[in-house]
Short mmCIF file of all heavy atoms in Angstrom, two decimals:
data_model
loop_
_atom_site.label_atom_id
_atom_site.label_comp_id
_atom_site.label_asym_id
_atom_site.label_seq_id
_atom_site.Cartn_x
_atom_site.Cartn_y
_atom_site.Cartn_z
N ARG A 7 45.50 35.37 6.32
CA ARG A 7 44.55 35.39 7.46
C ARG A 7 43.16 34.95 7.05
O ARG A 7 42.49 34.19 7.75
CB ARG A 7 44.52 36.80 8.05
CG ARG A 7 43.66 36.89 9.34
CD ARG A 7 43.62 38.30 9.84
NE ARG A 7 44.93 38.83 10.17
CZ ARG A 7 45.57 38.56 11.33
NH1 ARG A 7 44.97 37.78 12.24
NH2 ARG A 7 46.79 39.03 11.53
N ALA A 8 42.73 35.38 5.88
CA ALA A 8 41.37 35.03 5.41
C ALA A 8 41.22 33.51 5.27
O ALA A 8 40.21 32.94 5.66
CB ALA A 8 41.07 35.72 4.05
N ALA A 9 42.24 32.86 4.71
CA ALA A 9 42.17 31.39 4.55
C ALA A 9 42.21 30.70 5.90
O ALA A 9 41.50 29.71 6.16
CB ALA A 9 43.27 30.89 3.64
N ALA A 10 43.07 31.21 6.79
CA ALA A 10 43.20 30.60 8.13
C ALA A 10 41.90 30.69 8.92
O ALA A 10 41.53 29.73 9.65
CB ALA A 10 44.33 31.24 8.87
N GLU A 11 41.19 31.79 8.79
CA GLU A 11 39.95 31.96 9.52
C GLU A 11 38.88 30.97 9.02
O GLU A 11 38.13 30.40 9.83
CB GLU A 11 39.45 33.41 9.37
CG GLU A 11 40.27 34.42 10.15
CD GLU A 11 39.89 35.86 9.87
OE1 GLU A 11 39.14 36.09 8.94
OE2 GLU A 11 40.41 36.72 10.59
N VAL A 12 38.83 30.74 7.70
CA VAL A 12 37.85 29.79 7.17
C VAL A 12 38.23 28.34 7.60
O VAL A 12 37.38 27.54 7.91
CB VAL A 12 37.77 29.88 5.66
CG1 VAL A 12 36.92 28.76 5.07
CG2 VAL A 12 37.21 31.24 5.24
N ALA A 13 39.53 28.04 7.58
CA ALA A 13 40.01 26.68 7.85
C ALA A 13 40.04 26.36 9.35
O ALA A 13 40.16 25.18 9.70
CB ALA A 13 41.38 26.51 7.27
N ASP A 14 39.86 27.35 10.19
CA ASP A 14 39.97 27.12 11.63
C ASP A 14 39.04 25.99 12.11
O ASP A 14 37.85 26.06 11.84
CB ASP A 14 39.62 28.42 12.37
CG ASP A 14 39.87 28.32 13.88
OD1 ASP A 14 40.85 27.68 14.30
OD2 ASP A 14 39.02 28.84 14.64
N GLY A 15 39.62 25.02 12.76
CA GLY A 15 38.83 23.93 13.31
C GLY A 15 38.48 22.84 12.33
O GLY A 15 37.73 21.91 12.65
N ARG A 16 39.02 22.90 11.07
CA ARG A 16 38.62 21.96 10.05
C ARG A 16 39.68 20.92 9.73
O ARG A 16 39.55 20.15 8.77
CB ARG A 16 38.22 22.70 8.77
CG ARG A 16 37.07 23.65 8.93
CD ARG A 16 36.48 23.98 7.62
NE ARG A 16 35.49 25.06 7.68
CZ ARG A 16 34.61 25.34 6.71
NH1 ARG A 16 34.60 24.60 5.63
NH2 ARG A 16 33.79 26.31 6.83
N ASP A 17 40.78 20.88 10.46
CA ASP A 17 41.82 19.92 10.24
C ASP A 17 42.35 19.95 8.82
O ASP A 17 42.53 18.91 8.16
CB ASP A 17 41.35 18.47 10.55
CG ASP A 17 41.10 18.27 12.06
OD1 ASP A 17 41.84 18.89 12.84
OD2 ASP A 17 40.23 17.51 12.40
N ALA A 18 42.56 21.14 8.30
CA ALA A 18 43.11 21.32 6.94
C ALA A 18 44.55 21.77 7.02
O ALA A 18 44.90 22.60 7.87
CB ALA A 18 42.29 22.34 6.18
N LEU A 19 45.38 21.22 6.18
CA LEU A 19 46.78 21.64 6.09
C LEU A 19 46.82 23.07 5.51
O LEU A 19 46.23 23.31 4.42
CB LEU A 19 47.56 20.69 5.19
CG LEU A 19 47.92 19.34 5.76
CD1 LEU A 19 48.22 18.34 4.65
CD2 LEU A 19 49.12 19.48 6.70
N LEU A 20 47.49 23.96 6.14
CA LEU A 20 47.67 25.32 5.64
C LEU A 20 49.11 25.52 5.26
O LEU A 20 50.01 25.45 6.12
CB LEU A 20 47.23 26.35 6.68
CG LEU A 20 45.71 26.43 6.98
CD1 LEU A 20 45.44 27.37 8.15
CD2 LEU A 20 44.99 26.91 5.74
N ILE A 21 49.32 25.77 3.97
CA ILE A 21 50.69 25.95 3.45
C ILE A 21 50.82 27.37 2.94
O ILE A 21 50.01 27.85 2.12
CB ILE A 21 50.96 24.98 2.30
CG1 ILE A 21 50.47 23.57 2.63
CG2 ILE A 21 52.42 25.02 1.89
CD1 ILE A 21 51.17 22.92 3.76
N ALA A 22 51.81 28.11 3.42
CA ALA A 22 52.04 29.47 3.03
C ALA A 22 53.28 29.57 2.13
O ALA A 22 54.29 28.96 2.42
CB ALA A 22 52.22 30.37 4.23
N GLY A 23 53.19 30.35 1.06
CA GLY A 23 54.35 30.60 0.25
C GLY A 23 55.36 31.48 1.00
O GLY A 23 54.97 32.39 1.70
N ALA A 24 56.63 31.17 0.82
CA ALA A 24 57.71 32.03 1.36
C ALA A 24 58.72 32.25 0.27
O ALA A 24 59.20 31.27 -0.35
CB ALA A 24 58.38 31.37 2.59
N VAL A 25 59.03 33.50 -0.02
CA VAL A 25 59.86 33.83 -1.16
C VAL A 25 60.98 34.76 -0.73
O VAL A 25 61.01 35.26 0.41
CB VAL A 25 59.07 34.47 -2.29
CG1 VAL A 25 57.87 33.62 -2.68
CG2 VAL A 25 58.56 35.90 -1.89
N GLY A 26 61.86 35.07 -1.68
CA GLY A 26 62.92 36.05 -1.44
C GLY A 26 64.13 35.47 -0.77
O GLY A 26 64.27 34.26 -0.59
N ARG A 27 65.07 36.35 -0.45
CA ARG A 27 66.27 35.95 0.25
C ARG A 27 65.94 35.59 1.69
O ARG A 27 64.80 35.69 2.11
CB ARG A 27 67.34 37.03 0.17
CG ARG A 27 67.66 37.48 -1.27
CD ARG A 27 68.37 36.42 -2.06
NE ARG A 27 69.78 36.26 -1.68
CZ ARG A 27 70.70 35.62 -2.42
NH1 ARG A 27 70.36 35.04 -3.58
NH2 ARG A 27 71.95 35.50 -1.96
N THR A 28 66.94 35.21 2.44
CA THR A 28 66.69 34.61 3.77
C THR A 28 65.90 35.49 4.72
O THR A 28 64.95 35.04 5.36
CB THR A 28 68.01 34.18 4.39
OG1 THR A 28 68.70 33.27 3.48
CG2 THR A 28 67.76 33.46 5.71
N GLU A 29 66.27 36.76 4.81
CA GLU A 29 65.59 37.68 5.75
C GLU A 29 64.10 37.76 5.45
O GLU A 29 63.25 37.68 6.35
CB GLU A 29 66.24 39.07 5.67
CG GLU A 29 65.61 40.05 6.67
CD GLU A 29 66.24 41.42 6.65
OE1 GLU A 29 67.19 41.63 5.82
OE2 GLU A 29 65.81 42.30 7.41
N GLN A 30 63.75 37.91 4.17
CA GLN A 30 62.34 37.99 3.80
C GLN A 30 61.60 36.69 4.01
O GLN A 30 60.53 36.67 4.57
CB GLN A 30 62.21 38.39 2.32
CG GLN A 30 60.73 38.45 1.88
CD GLN A 30 60.58 38.87 0.41
OE1 GLN A 30 61.53 39.30 -0.21
NE2 GLN A 30 59.39 38.70 -0.13
N ALA A 31 62.24 35.57 3.61
CA ALA A 31 61.57 34.26 3.76
C ALA A 31 61.35 33.91 5.24
O ALA A 31 60.30 33.35 5.60
CB ALA A 31 62.40 33.18 3.10
N VAL A 32 62.31 34.22 6.09
CA VAL A 32 62.16 33.96 7.53
C VAL A 32 61.03 34.81 8.09
O VAL A 32 60.18 34.35 8.85
CB VAL A 32 63.47 34.22 8.28
CG1 VAL A 32 63.24 34.29 9.77
CG2 VAL A 32 64.48 33.10 7.96
N LYS A 33 60.97 36.07 7.66
CA LYS A 33 59.87 36.95 8.14
C LYS A 33 58.52 36.41 7.70
O LYS A 33 57.57 36.40 8.49
CB LYS A 33 60.09 38.36 7.54
CG LYS A 33 59.00 39.36 7.95
CD LYS A 33 59.26 40.72 7.31
CE LYS A 33 58.12 41.71 7.64
NZ LYS A 33 58.33 43.02 7.03
N GLU A 34 58.43 35.95 6.48
CA GLU A 34 57.13 35.41 5.99
C GLU A 34 56.77 34.12 6.72
O GLU A 34 55.60 33.86 7.01
CB GLU A 34 57.19 35.21 4.48
CG GLU A 34 57.30 36.53 3.74
CD GLU A 34 57.24 36.39 2.23
OE1 GLU A 34 57.18 35.26 1.70
OE2 GLU A 34 57.23 37.43 1.54
N ALA A 35 57.80 33.31 7.02
CA ALA A 35 57.53 32.06 7.76
C ALA A 35 56.99 32.39 9.16
O ALA A 35 56.07 31.74 9.66
CB ALA A 35 58.81 31.24 7.88
N ARG A 36 57.53 33.42 9.78
CA ARG A 36 57.07 33.78 11.11
C ARG A 36 55.64 34.34 11.07
O ARG A 36 54.82 34.04 11.97
CB ARG A 36 58.02 34.83 11.70
CG ARG A 36 59.36 34.25 12.11
CD ARG A 36 60.35 35.31 12.53
NE ARG A 36 61.60 34.75 12.98
CZ ARG A 36 62.74 35.42 13.14
NH1 ARG A 36 62.72 36.73 12.88
NH2 ARG A 36 63.84 34.80 13.55
N ILE A 37 55.31 35.10 10.03
CA ILE A 37 53.93 35.59 9.87
C ILE A 37 52.99 34.40 9.73
O ILE A 37 51.93 34.31 10.37
CB ILE A 37 53.82 36.53 8.68
CG1 ILE A 37 54.57 37.84 8.93
CG2 ILE A 37 52.37 36.80 8.32
CD1 ILE A 37 54.69 38.73 7.73
N ALA A 38 53.38 33.46 8.88
CA ALA A 38 52.54 32.27 8.63
C ALA A 38 52.35 31.45 9.95
O ALA A 38 51.22 31.01 10.25
CB ALA A 38 53.15 31.42 7.54
N ARG A 39 53.41 31.27 10.69
CA ARG A 39 53.33 30.54 11.93
C ARG A 39 52.39 31.21 12.89
O ARG A 39 51.58 30.56 13.59
CB ARG A 39 54.73 30.39 12.53
CG ARG A 39 54.76 29.43 13.73
CD ARG A 39 56.19 29.29 14.24
NE ARG A 39 56.61 30.46 14.95
CZ ARG A 39 57.88 30.92 14.96
NH1 ARG A 39 58.78 30.34 14.25
NH2 ARG A 39 58.19 31.98 15.69
#
């Protein structure tokens, strides 16, 4: 969230790490989205 707030409106690519087995990685992808 901290990085997203700084990057807001700046046309920067935001890439989030997603780790673990499928359930965890999907959960992290949804948080990032």
Side-chain angles (χ1 to χ4, degrees):
R7 185 182 300 279
E11 289 173 350
V12 172
D14 185 40
R16 300 199 189 196
D17 292 328
L19 286 159
L20 289 174
I21 314 297
V25 306
R27 305 292 285 196
T28 304
E29 182 179 0
Q30 179 181 347
V32 166
K33 179 181 178 181
E34 293 184 357
R36 288 173 177 166
I37 291 171
R39 189 177 74 214

